[in-house]
Amino acid sequence: MTGTVEKPPRKRRSRTEFALKEIMSSGGAEDDIPQGERKTVTDFCYLLDKSKQLFNGLRDLPQYGQKQWQSYFGRTFDVYTKLWKFQQQHRQVLDNRYGLKRWQIGEIASKIGQLYYHYYLRTSETSYLNEAFSFYSAIRQRSYYSQVNKEDRPELVVKKLRYYARFIVVCLLLNKMDVVKDLVKELSDEIEDYTHRFNTEDQVEWNLVLQEVAAFIEADPVMVLNDDNTIVITSNRLAETGAPLLEQGMIVGQLSLADALIIGNCNNQVKFSELTVDMFRMLQALEREPMNLASQMNKPGMQESADKPTRRENPHKYLLYKPTFSQLYTFLAASFKELPANSVLLIYLSATGVFPTGRSDSEGPYDFGGVLTNSNRDIINGDAIHKRNQSHKEMHCLHPGDLYPFTRKPLFIIVDSSNSVAYKNFTNLFGQPLVCLLSPTAYPKALQDQSQRGSLFTLFLNNPLMAFLFVSGLSSMRRGLWEKCQEYLRKINRDIAQLLTHSRSIDQAFLQFFGDEFLRLLLTRFIFCSATMRMHKIFRETRNYPESYPQLPRDETVENPHLQKHILELASILDVRNVFFENTIDDY
């Protein structure tokens, strides 16, 4: 065993030394190079070779499952940490003897930024985004890639463009929109220069990247403005005062949200880097504000349990963009398998509706259609789905019945789709807590043209005040008024929480989920959304309203006079009371 472990390093060193002869002979006679400097270059080449090998191996790790990858990530971080420090300590020797270029230092920093970003994706710990941002930002501030454009090598320019795209994703996730706009301008200039100098085939692809990010940052329908008309950047992650506190003595379940699948498969919705607007909004609704890790740890996976932050972690998330049924089911099964005791699995589906063909004599869990899973050959003209035979069920569809096996554990489902009502006919077979929050299946015509910029229902779950302003016909607001309305909305959320917990006829499933901060906030926002739409003058059809399984007692929640009074008061603060009915219950 010892021999097999030691052989690979010896082989790599021999290849490295062979390459070194060419590198160092170009700087003068090889014999003139001091032994210490030779060793420095040899060690650097070994670390560089090892780091690339480990980094490339990350692609082979399973994307699902939370344990298998951690030791490999730890080893990769170890090598990159050594490599980064080594090039800092021996920069002059590496410049003189190895010919180290600044873009090569930038590549190392970029890889470390990617490692932190992927660690965030694996753990959902937002603090690692700050670490990725630090490395990406250093590359830009120190102009590591500035000399790339002088070399006649298009592949190096592509590395630079990819760095910009990755940096933009991290900035979007951290809501650093001012930096995003600067990066987009720089990326645009770089793409123009790249396509002018090199007649490449990927020009259209890079211009599409620009178009996608431009549409993404303009997706929010309402701007919050400072007094000088600059845009205020608002965060929609869970803050310390975000979720309504539980009253003393309030009896709710002790379940906690541990895992979430966030699935995006809407045709034509704005997206960037396999993240649709809906997916982006929902993932932020399931995260806490980032902390700075600098004072807490050196690298991921190396923090002792005693040193961990006292506040609870974010739920682990899988982000699935246009998955096939097989992919979706594989990730779902992995989450289900690893779900800890007394924990909840959340499934968020933002997807095109698939409707049943023909008439069915039965009303089972496969007779109402569901939401689309990916199969390119079956997507024709947007929402039209090709059917093979009317007597068969749609294959590329997640039917309600497909989720039945997973109701053996606590399950919280959110469906944002034109066929969300397919999930209204759920059956709780195993007696475990189960709730489905279902979007409207259609919106009034005045709002339909906004669907490309994200769903109104998901916007209510992510940023209820912005959604309220949008349905009220407002497109901008001063910061002072925004903050006043946010404070009033927190009061509304507290009162909704009391309505739920004091209700005598509410299904206990809602209360079993109410002990978790994230789920409590989603439930209160769902009720606010439903109550707002029921009071709004243009939302007059049943299909314009959200629904749930189990059903909520309307008179105690979404049609409660006390809540309706609050909504009218919020509308009065905004001077939009005229778009809502005053005596809503009498209007039905």
Side-chain angles (χ1 to χ4, degrees):
M1 287 295 291
T2 306
T4 57
V5 170
E6 291 178 354
K7 273 184 182 177
R10 283 206 299 271
K11 283 184 181 179
R12 280 194 296 274
R13 280 181 181 275
S14 63
R15 289 199 305 271
T16 301
E17 285 173 357
F18 177 77
L20 282 172
K21 287 183 181 180
E22 291 195 12
I23 294 170
M24 295 195 288
S25 62
S26 62
E30 190 181 339
D31 293 339
D32 295 341
I33 298 171
Q35 186 63 30
E37 293 185 5
R38 281 177 56 82
K39 185 177 186 309
T40 295
V41 176
T42 303
D43 290 347
F44 175 76
C45 289
Y46 172 73
L47 284 172
L48 189 63
D49 188 38
K50 183 69 175 175
S51 68
K52 289 177 180 177
Q53 178 192 356
L54 286 168
F55 191 90
N56 292 336
L58 293 172
R59 300 189 190 108
D60 300 326
L61 294 177
Q63 291 177 291
Y64 50 86
Q66 296 182 41
K67 304 301 177 190
Q68 305 96 315
W69 55 271
Q70 285 182 326
S71 62
Y72 192 95
F73 253 84
R75 280 189 290 144
T76 309
F77 264 101
D78 274 336
V79 171
Y80 270 98
T81 301
K82 290 175 185 174
L83 179 62
W84 185 253
K85 289 180 179 176
F86 193 90
Q87 63 83 22
Q88 286 179 317
Q89 292 165 356
H90 304 282
R91 182 72 59 80
Q92 189 171 355
V93 173
L94 292 172
D95 283 347
N96 295 336
R97 299 300 186 188
Y98 178 79
L100 184 66
K101 294 184 170 64
R102 290 189 65 76
W103 68 261
Q104 291 173 304
I105 302 170
E107 271 296 282
I108 298 169
S110 180
K111 288 285 198 298
I112 296 171
Q114 289 176 62
L115 280 174
Y116 275 117
Y117 172 67
H118 284 285
Y119 207 84
Y120 155 73
L121 291 179
R122 294 270 185 175
T123 64
S124 298
E125 174 50 69
T126 42
S127 301
Y128 294 122
L129 286 172
N130 282 333
E131 303 302 311
F133 177 83
S134 295
F135 275 90
Y136 284 146
S137 188
I139 293 170
R140 183 166 169 247
Q141 289 169 0
R142 298 172 190 175
S143 304
Y144 282 138
Y145 282 121
S146 62
Q147 301 300 309
V148 161
N149 293 14
K150 295 181 180 179
E151 301 198 29
D152 193 28
R153 295 173 61 186
E155 71 277 10
L156 290 184
V157 183
V158 169
K159 285 178 184 288
K160 185 177 186 179
L161 299 182
R162 286 177 177 164
Y163 150 73
Y164 269 107
R166 293 183 182 114
F167 194 6
I168 288 169
V169 170
V170 169
C171 291
L172 283 171
L173 290 166
L174 287 170
N175 293 308
K176 295 181 181 290
M177 293 302 176
D178 49 344
V179 182
V180 170
K181 288 173 183 176
D182 290 342
L183 291 174
V184 169
K185 173 81 168 60
E186 291 172 23
L187 177 58
S188 177
D189 293 341
E190 293 289 347
I191 291 171
E192 188 175 343
D193 179 69
Y194 168 64
T195 54
H196 180 72
R197 289 174 58 212
F198 306 102
N199 187 19
T200 60
E201 296 178 359
D202 57 355
Q203 177 178 353
V204 174
E205 293 174 27
W206 282 110
N207 284 328
L208 182 61
V209 168
L210 280 178
Q211 291 169 23
E212 284 183 348
V213 71
F216 203 94
I217 60 181
E218 292 172 3
D220 282 353
V222 178
M223 290 187 296
V224 184
L225 301 173
N226 287 308
D227 291 337
D228 60 357
N229 285 336
T230 56
I231 297 175
V232 178
I233 308 303
T234 60
S235 174
N236 300 303
R237 287 190 171 95
L238 181 62
E240 294 294 336
T241 58
L245 296 174
L246 294 171
E247 289 181 291
Q248 194 167 6
M250 198 181 278
I251 300 174
V252 295
Q254 299 302 307
L255 298 170
S256 63
L257 179 59
D259 237 56
L261 265 74
I262 298 178
I263 297 149
N265 197 7
C266 279
N267 295 326
N268 305 320
Q269 190 176 106
V270 167
K271 65 99 179 171
F272 183 63
S273 184
E274 299 204 335
L275 199 63
T276 66
V277 172
D278 280 354
M279 293 171 70
F280 175 76
R281 287 173 175 162
M282 184 49 60
L283 81 85
Q284 296 220 329
L286 299 177
E287 291 180 347
R288 301 174 192 279
E289 285 294 342
M291 290 167 55
N292 194 326
L293 287 186
S295 60
Q296 295 182 39
M297 64 185 70
N298 295 321
K299 59 181 178 293
M302 297 295 135
Q303 187 182 7
E304 295 298 326
S305 58
D307 298 326
K308 284 188 177 177
T310 53
R311 62 180 178 175
R312 247 187 51 214
E313 298 174 351
N314 293 322
H316 172 261
K317 296 182 297 297
Y318 289 119
L319 306 175
L320 303 180
Y321 174 67
K322 294 197 171 182
T324 63
F325 178 83
S326 309
Q327 290 169 330
L328 197 160
Y329 229 57
T330 300
F331 281 85
L332 192 50
S335 286
F336 180 83
K337 178 185 176 186
E338 296 190 349
L339 197 69
N342 300 315
S343 296
V344 181
L345 171 60
L346 182 147
I347 302 171
Y348 168 78
L349 298 164
S350 165
T352 301
V354 178
F355 298 90
T357 55
R359 292 184 179 180
S360 175
D361 295 331
S362 60
E363 291 192 350
Y366 289 88
D367 295 318
F368 297 97
V371 299
L372 184 68
T373 54
N374 192 24
S375 176
N376 291 331
R377 66 181 178 277
D378 276 5
I379 301 177
I380 300 173
N381 298 327
D383 284 3
I385 311 300
H386 176 66
K387 304 293 181 186
R388 296 169 307 285
N389 187 315
Q390 288 203 351
S391 64
H392 295 154
K393 308 302 180 190
E394 174 55 51
M395 232 187 341
H396 303 290
C397 168
L398 187 74
H399 298 267
D402 293 325
L403 298 179
Y404 277 21
F406 305 102
T407 60
R408 288 174 170 85
K409 293 181 180 179
L411 196 60
F412 194 98
I413 302 168
I414 302 172
V415 186
D416 196 337
S417 172
S418 55
N419 192 27
S420 60
V421 290
Y423 297 81
K424 189 173 73 170
N425 304 285
F426 237 97
T427 303
N428 191 340
L429 298 175
F430 303 104
Q432 291 293 310
L434 172 65
V435 161
C436 303
L437 305 183
L438 311 172
S439 72
T441 56
Y443 294 102
K445 288 184 179 178
L447 300 171
Q448 280 180 351
D449 60 346
Q450 298 293 323
S451 59
Q452 281 190 317
R453 296 165 68 178
S455 161
L456 178 60
F457 178 67
T458 293
L459 183 60
F460 262 105
L461 298 181
N462 162 261
N463 190 338
L465 180 54
M466 183 171 286
F468 189 87
L469 296 174
F470 173 63
V471 298
S472 301
L474 300 174
S475 59
S476 65
M477 166 168 291
R478 293 291 167 192
R479 181 176 195 154
L481 185 55
W482 170 271
E483 290 172 352
K484 179 181 178 182
C485 291
Q486 283 285 33
E487 186 58 41
Y488 193 77
L489 193 55
R490 281 190 278 273
K491 171 180 168 54
I492 294 176
N493 275 339
R494 289 193 295 270
D495 286 356
I496 291 173
Q498 288 185 11
L499 290 177
L500 271 171
T501 52
H502 293 178
S503 169
R504 297 188 176 186
S505 55
I506 194 169
D507 192 286
Q508 288 300 301
F510 291 101
L511 299 181
Q512 286 174 296
F513 290 124
F514 214 63
D516 180 271
E517 284 182 283
F518 293 104
L519 300 181
R520 183 158 72 248
L521 197 56
L522 287 172
L523 285 168
T524 54
R525 286 174 173 176
F526 172 81
I527 290 171
F528 174 73
C529 167
S530 189
T532 298
M533 290 177 176
R534 288 170 183 277
M535 292 181 69
H536 202 289
K537 288 180 179 177
I538 68 169
F539 288 76
R540 297 322 305 148
E541 299 180 50
T542 306
R543 62 185 188 147
N544 296 157
Y545 307 139
E547 298 197 49
S548 67
Y549 170 87
Q551 286 192 350
L552 285 163
R554 285 188 190 176
D555 57 330
E556 295 181 338
T557 56
V558 297
E559 292 176 6
N560 180 276
H562 184 62
L563 175 55
Q564 291 175 341
K565 183 180 175 184
H566 276 329
I567 289 172
L568 288 175
E569 182 58 35
L570 179 61
S572 294
I573 295 171
L574 295 165
D575 198 22
V576 292
R577 192 161 175 149
N578 60 306
V579 304
F580 296 96
F581 287 112
E582 294 283 339
N583 301 308
T584 312
I585 294 175
D586 297 337
D587 291 312
Y588 278 89

